[in-house]
Amino acid sequence: ELLEPPEGSVPGEHLLLDGYGLMQPEEADAVLKSKSQQNVWKMVAPDMTLNGEGKATYNGKLFSTTKGPLTCKSLRDCQLG
């Protein structure tokens, strides 16, 4: 099941992570440059979860847009990905 942005979110908007602010790279990478960059998902995936309210988190901190958190309709208390 896919995560859903809150109503009113704009496609392409960068995400916010509670405590870290806007997640925007200094410059966009057209292509991942190295094998280690390609393995980032394997490193972060275990810490990406849905909480009891179905809101997406990383290490317990909410992922959100300027309009609110990313959510999942039916899944709760589980790992993402």
Side-chain angles (χ1 to χ4, degrees), residues 5-55:
E7 192 168 327
S9 296
V10 179
E13 179 179 355
H14 289 277
L15 296 177
L16 301 160
L17 184 62
D18 281 355
Y20 293 94
L22 184 65
M23 298 175 60
Q24 182 174 354
E26 291 180 19
E27 47 182 271
D29 288 331
V31 177
L32 293 175
K33 296 180 181 98
S34 69
K35 289 287 184 187
S36 64
Q37 285 179 318
Q38 294 173 13
N39 291 320
V40 170
W41 177 252
K42 292 176 187 175
M43 295 185 301
V44 299
D47 297 318
M48 296 182 73
T49 60
L50 290 171
N51 66 16
E53 298 174 331
K55 296 177 182 177

